[in-house]
Amino acid sequence: QVQLVESGGGLVQAGGSLRLSCAASGRIFSINVMGWYRQAPGKQRELVAVITSAGSTNTADSVKGRFTMSRDNAKNTMYLQMNSLKPEDTGVYYCNANVRTGSYYMDYWGQGTQVTVSS
């Protein structure tokens, strides 16, 4: 079994910064793609950023230039540095990892962490 545990959410004023972390633990042979998603109230979950095992990233247009995703493969941990936060960034942020636990890969999700940006 694999667990993803997020941390770093909270309340911040517009223009501020937060750094989210997501640590994977359990029976892990390797981790392929990792990603951050978010869900605002009344809206569908959307992709924020993804990163490959080699470190290549792709971010949503809505956060490009403000959010940066990174990972530490030695620690099985991913990060999301969020700068110049806007009220529309408010939502629950979830991490996702494509993990090899044996002979195949499976997707795992964190429990979510709340990010609230006040105007």
Side-chain angles (χ1 to χ4, degrees):
Q1 187 70 356
V2 173
Q3 297 83 36
L4 300 183
V5 179
E6 297 140 344
S7 60
L11 173 64
V12 65
Q13 288 189 332
S17 298
L18 285 174
R19 188 190 193 212
L20 305 183
S21 300
C22 176
S25 63
R27 183 180 169 83
I28 298 172
F29 283 80
S30 62
I31 301 178
N32 190 11
V33 176
M34 307 176 93
W36 287 99
Y37 294 75
R38 67 185 181 188
Q39 187 166 18
K43 295 188 176 181
Q44 288 188 332
R45 190 174 298 188
E46 63 175 358
L47 176 67
V48 176
V50 293
I51 187 168
T52 68
S53 57
S56 297
T57 60
N58 192 16
T59 54
D61 288 342
S62 60
V63 304
K64 199 160 291 187
R66 301 188 296 121
F67 290 13
T68 302
M69 185 173 183
S70 60
R71 65 190 282 174
D72 184 333
N73 291 331
K75 296 181 179 179
N76 290 330
T77 300
M78 68 181 93
Y79 306 95
L80 186 66
Q81 179 66 44
M82 304 185 294
N83 299 328
S84 302
L85 282 160
K86 304 176 180 180
E88 51 263 43
D89 294 319
T90 294
V92 179
Y93 283 68
Y94 299 91
C95 60
N96 171 272
N98 187 240
V99 180
R100 182 184 173 202
T101 60
S103 58
Y104 52 88
Y105 284 87
M106 287 186 64
D107 274 347
Y108 292 90
W109 290 89
Q111 80 285 358
T113 185
Q114 177 70 44
V115 171
T116 303
V117 184
S118 63
S119 56

